[in-house]
C-alpha cells in the first residue's frame, strides 16, 4: 500500500524537494511548525491515516497525559518522544515548546481524545506560535462536540458550544439563564455524576425543551437518546446509566419564555411542589425575569392558599 501524502509538505525547501525525488529518508519529513492533530474519542479505527503519519514524523509529540497518548502510540506501532503539556504546567513549559518551534522543529499537539483546544489545552500555544510567525496546521478529525451534534437530530444551522458547566448549582443556573433566550442549539459537556442536577437545572431554567444525550460515542456502550428534557431526566439512572462520557444537546426555544404573572404563578406552583420557597422563587426569577419580590408575594399567596385548603 502506498503511504498517504502528508499535506503541508509544500513548504519544504527546494533541497528537501530534491531529496524527495531521490527517495531519501528526508522526503518523509514534515514541514516545520506546530501540527494540531485530532485523535479518536473512543474507537481507535477513527484515527486518520494523515494523523498517524504526522505523529510518526513529528520530532516531538506534545500531549496532555503521556500515559494516555503512550497507549495510542503503542497501538499505532509508534515509538515517539512525548512531552506533557496540560493546564498545570502550560505557562511554565510553553516558552520551551515555542523555542523548539522557533528552532525549526516539527511538534504535533494532541489531547487525550478528540480535537486539541476544544475544551482541551492548547489554544495559547497555537496563539503564541502564530504570533511568532510559526506555521500552525490542522489535522482535523474526531470531536465529541461535532459527533454529538451530528446525531442529535436537532437544528444544526446555529449552535453554541458551552463546554463544561460551572459545578456549583447557582452559577450553573445563572449560565443557563443567560442562554435561555438564544435562538440556537446548545451543546454542553457534563460529568456523569452531575448529569441529574444539570438536567434538573435545564428544566427549571429553560423549560421542557427537546434535547439529546450522547453517551460513550463510538465506544462499546454508545447510546444516543433523543427526548424532552423531562423524559431524559426520568430515564437517567435507569435505561440511561449515569456512567461514561456525556454530551448534552439542547434544542432552541420554540415557545416564548414565561413572562406574565398568570404563567409565573403556574410555574411557581410546580416549583413549590419540589423546592422550598426561596429556591422556588430563585428559579422562577431566573426563568421569568420577573422581580423576586413580586414572585415572593405570589409564592406566599400560593402557600397560604394551600394551607387554607387543608
Ligand atoms: N477535545 C475533545 C473533543 O474534541 O472531543 C473534548 C475534550 S473534553 C475535556 C472531554 C469531554 O468530551 C468529556 O468529559 C465528555 O463530556 C465529552 N466526550 C469525550 N469523548 C466522548 C465520547 N466518546 N462520548 C461522549 N462524550 C464524550
Amino acid at each position: 500500500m502506498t503511504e498517504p501524502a502528508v499535506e503541508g509538505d509544500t513548504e519544504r525547501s527546494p533541497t528537501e524537494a530534491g531529496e524527495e525525488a531521490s527517495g531519501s529518508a528526508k522526503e518523509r519529513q514534515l514541514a516545520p511548525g506546530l501540527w494540531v492533530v485530532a485523535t479518536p474519542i473512543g474507537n481507535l479505527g477513527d484515527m486518520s491515516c494523515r494523523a498517524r503519519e504526522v505523529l510518526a514524523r513529528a520530532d516531538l509529540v506534545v500531549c496532555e497525559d503521556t500515559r494516555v497518548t503512550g497507549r495510542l502510540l503503542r497501538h499505532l506501532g509508534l515509538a515517539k518522544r512525548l512531552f506533557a503539556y496540560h493546564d498545570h504546567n502550560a505557562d511554565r513549559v510553553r516558552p520551551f515548546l515555542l523555542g523548539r518551534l522557533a528552532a525549526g522543529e516539527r511538534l504535533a499537539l494532541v489531547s487525550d481524545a478528540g480535537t486539541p483546544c476544544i475544551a482541551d489545552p492548547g489554544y495559547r500555544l497555537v496563539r503564541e506560535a502564530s504570533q511568532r510567525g510559526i506555521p500552525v496546521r490542522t489535522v482535523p478529525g474526531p470531536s465529541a462536540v461535532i459527533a454529538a451534534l451530528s446525531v442529535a437530530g436537532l437544528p444544526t444551522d446555529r449552535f453554541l458550544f458551552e463546554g463544561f458547566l460551572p459545578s456549583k448549582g447557582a452559577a450553573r443556573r445563572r449560565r443557563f439563564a443567560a442562554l435561555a433566550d438564544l435562538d440556537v442549539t446548545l451543546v454542553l459537556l457534563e460529568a456523569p455524576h452531575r448529569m441529574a442536577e444539570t438536567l434538573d437545572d435545564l428544566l427549571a431554567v429553560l423549560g421542557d425543551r427537546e434535547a439529546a444525550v450522547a453517551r460513550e460515542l463510538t465506544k462499546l456502550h454508545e447510546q444516543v437518546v433523543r427526548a424532552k428534557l423531562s423524559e431524559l431526566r426520568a430515564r437517567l439512572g435507569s435505561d440511561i446509566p449515569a456512567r461514561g462520557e456525556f454530551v448534552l444537546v439542547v434544542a432552541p426555544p420554540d415557545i416564548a419564555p414565561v413572562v406574565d404573572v398568570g404563567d409565573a404563578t403556574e410555574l411557581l406552583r410546580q416549583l413549590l411542589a419540589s423546592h422550598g420557597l426561596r429556591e422556588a422563587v430563585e428559579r422562577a426569577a431566573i426563568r421569568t425575569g420577573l422581580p423576586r419580590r413580586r414572585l415572593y408575594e405570589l409564592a406566599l399567596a400560593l402557600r397560604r392558599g394551600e394551607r387554607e385548603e387543608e
Side-chain angles (χ1 to χ4, degrees):
M1 201 174 84
T2 51
E3 292 195 342
V6 176
E7 295 290 333
D9 274 355
T10 47
E11 286 195 11
R12 283 171 302 181
S13 70
T15 322
E16 284 170 329
E19 281 167 338
E20 181 175 9
S22 68
S24 79
K26 256 221 160 164
E27 82 184 60
R28 293 167 57 83
Q29 273 199 351
L30 284 180
L34 180 62
W35 294 76
V36 180
V37 181
T39 58
I41 58 170
N43 190 323
L44 295 177
D46 292 334
M47 184 79 192
S48 77
C49 297
R50 184 165 171 252
R52 185 191 183 284
E53 287 300 322
V54 169
L55 294 184
R57 296 175 188 192
D59 297 308
L60 188 64
V61 175
V62 179
C63 59
E64 270 185 275
D65 183 330
T66 53
R67 288 163 304 179
V68 173
T69 300
R71 274 198 296 275
L72 174 69
L73 293 182
R74 271 195 300 282
H75 167 83
L76 297 171
L78 301 175
K80 301 295 297 183
R81 289 167 57 211
L82 294 174
F83 189 92
Y85 180 79
H86 45 67
D87 289 340
H88 305 293
N89 74 354
D91 289 341
R92 187 164 46 81
V93 303
R94 200 163 43 247
F96 166 76
L97 295 175
L98 289 166
R100 306 274 305 244
L101 287 164
E105 291 198 9
R106 299 115 181 104
L107 267 53
L109 174 69
V110 298
S111 55
D112 283 351
T115 300
C117 307
I118 309 300
D120 267 340
Y123 109 85
R124 284 190 189 280
L125 182 60
V126 168
R127 183 180 168 85
E128 292 183 27
S130 65
Q131 279 169 347
R132 285 164 171 72
I134 294 162
V136 180
R137 297 181 183 81
T138 177
V139 183
S143 173
V145 177
I146 298 299
L149 191 63
S150 71
V151 292
L154 296 172
T156 52
D157 48 338
R158 297 180 72 211
F159 67 90
L160 179 69
F161 173 55
E162 250 316 288
F164 285 110
L165 302 162
S167 56
K168 297 258 176 352
R172 195 166 51 225
R173 289 191 289 278
R174 275 198 300 278
R175 177 79 62 88
F176 292 158
L179 303 171
D181 292 335
L182 299 181
D183 193 18
V184 297
T185 292
L186 303 173
V187 186
L188 317 165
L189 303 178
E190 192 49 288
H193 63 278
R194 277 203 285 268
M195 277 295 290
E197 290 169 40
T198 293
L199 286 170
D200 282 342
D201 287 342
L202 281 167
L203 256 172
V205 181
L206 303 185
D208 202 4
R209 293 194 190 176
E210 292 287 330
V213 156
R215 188 178 149 263
E216 295 287 89
L217 292 173
T218 78
K219 302 186 196 175
L220 189 61
H221 298 293
E222 172 170 318
Q223 185 182 30
V224 181
V225 185
R226 305 164 190 87
K228 292 262 190 191
L229 284 167
S230 56
E231 187 184 330
L232 293 174
R233 175 64 184 94
R235 292 168 60 182
L236 185 76
S238 52
D239 69 321
I240 307 175
R243 282 194 303 278
E245 297 196 279
F246 282 91
V247 181
L248 247 169
V249 187
V250 183
D254 55 358
I255 45 161
V258 180
V259 282
D260 73 40
V261 171
D263 287 344
T265 308
E266 185 45 40
L267 175 65
L268 273 171
R269 195 191 310 280
Q270 290 169 14
L271 289 169
L272 283 167
S274 50
H275 300 285
L277 194 83
R278 194 175 294 186
E279 181 68 15
V281 167
E282 181 59 31
R283 288 179 182 233
I286 292 172
R287 176 86 195 279
T288 63
L290 289 174
R292 280 177 178 69
R293 205 156 140 193
R294 180 79 186 103
L295 292 164
Y296 201 69
E297 287 163 4
L298 286 171
L300 281 177
L302 281 170
R303 276 275 159 92
R304 270 199 302 276
E306 278 166 18
R307 280 202 206 104
E308 279 162 18
E309 277 172 23
E310 281 165 11

